[in-house]
Amino acid sequence: MSKRTDSNGYTIIFSVVMVIVVGALLAFFANFTKADRVKNDQVKAQIDILNAIGVEADRSNATEMFTKYIKEQKVIEGDKVSDDDKAYLIDVKKELDNAKNGLTQKLPLFIAEKEGKSLYIMPVRGNGLWDAIWGYIAVNDDLKSVNGVYFDHKGETPGLGANITEKFFTDDFKGESLYDGSGNFKGIEISKSNGDPNNMDKSDNQVDAISGATITGNGVGAMINSGIRSYLPYFSTLKK
């Protein structure tokens, strides 16, 4: 090897050139695949919303099924309610950050028709043990009980907190009341001591916890209750 190529200057120049070339290639591929990634995110949102009402869909039929079941999409901004067929694309995390900073929060709401009944679907987002958790809650047309849920997470512990995605957990929410016996909103608690492991009592505002996942379960309960509470003013107008 020549002294020229063995010098520190050559090494630095070579490293800089490689960084620029690799960076340019990464930027090119990121831009080249951007449309596909955006499309995948849109389809994933449609699938997740449908999962909350027990409708199975995949990437090949998600848009068709979404159109079939989701009859209305609304955006709630304070006292203003508008129709928006792209409401499912709203960034819920960004809107929660806006609310924390004192800005008006956009709340997307999806109204589905299934088996002759109207279902109201809301996105929710919170924190688990390690990172973000999120999902969708569907309530029945009485606006008081849960029709179904869908949950996901970024990094909960496999076999423990990660089980919030499993049917044995999500199915327990079906039919659970969100109100107490006096008609006050109470939400749902993820309980380790409710004495109802099969979740037969749908009026106790509790769902049996996942063993070994207390913090994640608490996060799910807090996420559901704070998320739904944001929609209560709008639901009160529907009841009237």
Side-chain angles (χ1 to χ4, degrees), residues 80-94:
K80 177 185 175 184
V81 181
S82 58
D83 295 316
D84 185 347
D85 62 2
K86 299 296 183 183
Y88 73 100
L89 300 179
I90 288 176
D91 186 335
V92 177
K93 180 180 182 300
K94 178 181 177 181

Side-chain angles (χ1 to χ4, degrees), residues 144 177-186 203 205 239:
K144 294 181 178 180
S177 176
L178 296 167
Y179 289 77
D180 63 20
S182 299
N184 301 308
F185 178 78
K186 189 173 181 180
S203 62
N205 307 103
K239 292 177 181 178

Side-chain angles (χ1 to χ4, degrees), residues 10 44 77 86 163 212:
Y10 176 84
K44 178 66 164 55
E77 296 180 76
K86 299 296 183 183
N163 283 342

Side-chain angles (χ1 to χ4, degrees), residues 43-72:
V43 170
K44 178 66 164 55
Q46 293 175 335
I47 292 173
D48 294 348
I49 292 168
L50 291 170
N51 275 334
I53 58 172
V55 174
E56 295 185 5
D58 56 37
R59 296 190 182 277
S60 67
N61 66 355
T63 300
E64 177 187 353
M65 299 294 282
F66 190 79
T67 302
K68 176 181 178 180
Y69 285 96
I70 306 302
K71 301 303 182 183
E72 295 182 65

Side-chain angles (χ1 to χ4, degrees), residues 119-226:
L119 307 174
Y120 297 82
I121 310 161
M122 297 155 282
V124 291
R125 188 177 180 91
N127 296 303
L129 173 60
W130 301 113
D131 213 314
I133 56 177
W134 59 89
Y136 292 91
I137 310 296
V139 298
N140 292 305
D141 53 8
D142 61 2
L143 303 176
K144 294 181 178 180
S145 59
V146 176
N147 177 269
V149 301
Y150 167 82
F151 299 131
D152 207 344
H153 66 93
K154 186 174 182 180
E156 298 307 287
T157 306
L160 297 173
N163 283 342
I164 63 172
T165 65
E166 299 296 326
K167 282 182 65 63
F168 77 80
F169 180 66
T170 59
D171 280 354
D172 284 345
F173 288 83
K174 294 179 180 178
E176 194 71 38
S177 176
L178 296 167
Y179 289 77
D180 63 20
S182 299
N184 301 308
F185 178 78
K186 189 173 181 180
I188 296 176
E189 176 189 3
I190 313 303
S191 173
K192 296 189 297 181
S193 58
N194 67 338
D196 182 27
N198 294 320
N199 285 287
M200 300 301 293
D201 185 354
K202 297 300 181 179
S203 62
D204 61 358
N205 307 103
Q206 293 182 336
V207 164
D208 202 47
I210 298 171
S211 179
T214 300
I215 295 177
T216 304
N218 291 343
V220 170
M223 171 179 73
I224 291 172
N225 300 339
S226 63

